[in-house]
Amino acid sequence: MMNKIILTDCDGVLLDWEFAFDCWMQSHGFTQAEGGKLEYKISRRYNISPEQGKQLTKVFNASASVGFIPALRDAIYYVKRLHEEHGYQFHCITSLSLDPSAQKLRRMNLDKLFGKTVFTEIICLDTGADKDLALEPYANSGLYWIEDKPKNADLGHRLGLKSILLEHGHNMNHASEYPVVKNWKEIYNIIVEN
């Protein structure tokens, strides 16, 4: 049943990637720049070159650390409620890595935190990849699309999805025609009340 599917990003929506990445960066001798928490770009967050930021992100996303990223905020409680009490299945579209081991670790991490029946699809794209082609099959379906990156939430909105943007320091000032929420409790209420 297509209407019982919720589309989600992973990092910054289901998992606290920023926290895990910062721990990893600190263990490799990097510290955040002042005000870095409000930056989306890793280069600005750590005051390094854009090339080095992309490379470090790629290395982290293909490392064993990907299998141990904690859940974001209240995601576990409300994702499980949507699945167990309301029958929703989740399709996760994540710009993680093309590395097969990293993809297996992503599945393992999500299954461990949320349960093995929640995610019927996990679509892993290359690190930082655009989501146009992955979202295209869902165009005009009216499914919910949960994201933290404004560009991807806007894309979903244009494709006829019900975008919801999960607020972070880097996207707080994004003006949108769709809801911007602070946590999964707000997402849960939007979905079950409609």
Side-chain angles (χ1 to χ4, degrees), residues 174-187:
H174 182 67
S176 68
E177 299 174 26
Y178 46 81
V180 179
V181 299
K182 296 187 183 310
N183 52 44
W184 271 90
K185 181 179 182 182
E186 291 182 48
I187 296 169

Side-chain angles (χ1 to χ4, degrees), residues 11-189:
D11 298 308
V13 172
L14 298 165
L15 302 179
D16 195 347
W17 185 91
E18 289 180 8
F19 169 78
F21 184 72
D22 189 54
C23 291
W24 184 83
M25 287 289 280
Q26 286 182 42
S27 75
H28 287 81
F30 294 90
T31 55
Q32 279 193 28
E34 191 173 328
K37 280 196 181 300
L38 300 178
E39 295 290 345
Y40 181 76
K41 292 191 179 290
I42 296 304
S43 57
R44 290 189 191 144
R45 190 172 278 230
Y46 292 93
N47 199 24
I48 55 179
S49 72
E51 296 76 26
Q52 188 179 22
K54 285 178 186 171
Q55 184 59 31
L56 287 166
T57 301
K58 199 169 183 75
V59 170
F60 172 79
N61 280 5
S63 76
S65 298
V66 165
F68 304 94
I69 300 176
L72 182 74
R73 302 175 194 158
D74 57 350
I76 291 175
Y77 180 75
Y78 287 101
V79 166
K80 282 186 173 184
R81 283 190 69 189
L82 286 164
H83 175 63
E84 293 168 5
E85 296 173 19
H86 300 279
Y88 283 97
Q89 298 289 313
F90 286 76
H91 290 190
C92 179
I93 301 170
T94 176
S95 298
L96 173 72
S97 173
L98 295 178
D99 181 278
S101 296
Q103 293 177 7
K104 286 178 184 165
L105 286 168
R106 168 70 22 117
R107 163 63 81 176
M108 181 197 79
N109 192 203
L110 290 172
D111 286 350
K112 176 183 64 178
L113 294 172
F114 296 93
K116 293 188 176 190
T117 61
V118 172
F119 296 95
T120 53
E121 289 261 355
I122 298 177
I123 301 163
C124 290
L125 308 173
D126 201 2
T127 309
D130 290 335
K131 296 186 175 171
D132 306 60
L133 293 177
L135 286 175
E136 190 64 43
Y138 303 101
N140 300 312
S141 63
L143 296 177
Y144 284 100
W145 167 229
I146 321 300
E147 250 291 355
D148 70 311
K149 187 174 180 181
K151 177 183 170 186
N152 291 331
D154 291 347
L155 169 66
H157 183 69
R158 283 194 311 275
L159 287 173
L161 302 173
K162 295 177 187 170
S163 289
I164 299 175
L165 187 70
L166 193 56
E167 187 179 273
H168 287 270
H170 64 81
N171 67 18
M172 289 188 321
N173 300 317
H174 182 67
S176 68
E177 299 174 26
Y178 46 81
V180 179
V181 299
K182 296 187 183 310
N183 52 44
W184 271 90
K185 181 179 182 182
E186 291 182 48
I187 296 169
Y188 176 86
N189 289 335

